[in-house]
């Protein structure tokens, strides 16, 4: 198993749409940022990347890169998810804490849980969403998010399922190409991650 931790903060700014956890909130201020400023998805993305020690959100999506201007942070999360899957892990569970003065998160916690679970392709029961107000911190103009994630290694059975999942679309593609041009796809089949010569 592996553990990952992520943290992020963004300042509230008038005239910016507020997006937290992939959900749009009706609120007079939003979170300023190069992307959509989704503080919660950024913290979760960093937790996932950190768990497999492949860098952080800034190394994958540099803030100076115009491609990520106003980007949907779900794209960042998807990339992090692919990184952990590529490393041979899946999410066991995730826990998060938001720290912000407003809006109140409580009434939206269930919706957030379902949306984050949907983005991560896991059960909502594996996603913790908690929120605190920043009492005594003098940071009402800022939203902070903390995220911790536990990953578990895919076992051999899962590995075979993954290989089958890769092989099946390739076979379907071959069938389509064969119908169209009367021969098999010239694209080579993806090789398994290990050297089959080593199997005795
Ligand atoms: Mg951020």
């Amino acid at each position: 198993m592996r553990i990952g931790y992520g943290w992020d903060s963004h300042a509230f700014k008038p005239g910016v749409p507020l997006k937290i956890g992939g959900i749009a909130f009706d609120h007079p201020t939003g979170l300023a940022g190069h992307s959509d400023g989704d503080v919660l998805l950024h913290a979760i993305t960093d937790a996932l990347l950190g768990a497999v020690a492949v860098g952080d959100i800034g190394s994958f999506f540099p803030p100076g890169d115009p491609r990520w201007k106003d980007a949907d942070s779900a794209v960042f999360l998807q990339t992090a998810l692919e990184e952990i899957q590529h490393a041979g892990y899946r999410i066991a569970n995730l826990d998060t804490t938001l720290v912000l003065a407003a809006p109140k998160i409580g009434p939206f916690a269930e919706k957030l849980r379902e949306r984050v679970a949907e983005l991560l392709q896991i059960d909502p029961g594996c996603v913790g969403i908690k929120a605190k107000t920043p009492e005594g911190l003098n940071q009402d103009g800022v939203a902070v998010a903390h995220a911790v994630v536990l990953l578990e290694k895919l076992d051999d059975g899962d590995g075979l399922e993954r290989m089958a999942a890769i092989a099946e679309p390739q076979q379907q593609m071959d069938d389509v190409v064969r119908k169209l041009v009367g021969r098999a796809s010239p694209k080579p089949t993806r090789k398994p991650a290990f050297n089959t010569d080593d199997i005795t």
Side-chain angles (χ1 to χ4, degrees):
M1 296 191 131
R2 299 188 72 127
I3 193 167
Y5 170 72
W7 180 94
D8 194 28
S9 70
H10 283 261
F12 281 100
K13 188 180 169 187
V16 175
L18 178 61
K19 224 171 151 193
I20 298 174
I23 289 176
F25 283 74
D26 187 14
H27 196 65
T29 54
L31 295 173
H34 184 65
S35 66
D36 64 5
D38 194 324
V39 69
L40 181 59
L41 294 193
H42 294 183
I44 297 171
T45 299
D46 257 357
L48 291 169
L49 295 173
V52 288
V54 292
D56 62 17
I57 193 168
S59 56
F60 277 79
F61 306 100
D65 190 328
R67 281 180 299 171
W68 314 123
K69 179 90 184 82
D70 300 325
D72 182 345
S73 296
V75 173
F76 308 157
L77 195 66
Q78 180 61 34
T79 297
L81 190 58
E82 285 167 11
E83 284 296 320
I84 68 145
Q85 288 167 344
H86 182 70
Y89 287 87
R90 69 174 161 217
I91 298 169
N93 78 305
L94 168 82
D95 192 22
T96 66
T97 300
L98 283 160
V99 185
L100 72 177
K104 290 285 177 210
I105 295 297
F108 303 97
E110 193 55 38
K111 202 173 163 190
L112 278 171
R113 203 158 77 111
E114 283 172 11
R115 179 61 181 145
V116 171
E118 182 185 26
L119 290 170
L120 294 173
Q121 298 155 38
I122 56 176
D123 190 279
C126 298
V127 177
I129 300 283
K130 311 186 304 298
K132 317 275 291 178
T133 49
E135 299 298 328
L137 292 176
N138 195 24
Q139 59 178 43
D140 286 4
V142 177
V144 169
H146 301 262
V148 62
V149 63
L150 185 69
L151 305 184
E152 55 191 357
K153 189 91 175 158
L154 292 159
D155 61 29
D156 288 345
D158 295 322
L160 290 171
E161 277 174 30
R162 275 195 301 152
M163 284 171 61
I166 290 166
E168 197 173 319
Q170 179 67 43
Q171 186 59 50
Q172 287 167 358
M173 195 189 294
D174 281 350
D175 291 345
V176 170
V177 172
R178 199 175 287 118
K179 272 183 200 151
L180 288 172
V181 300
R183 62 184 171 82
S185 164
K187 196 176 168 213
T189 307
R190 267 174 88 172
K191 289 194 173 66
F194 51 84
N195 182 351
T196 49
D197 292 342
D198 289 343
I199 295 175
T200 54

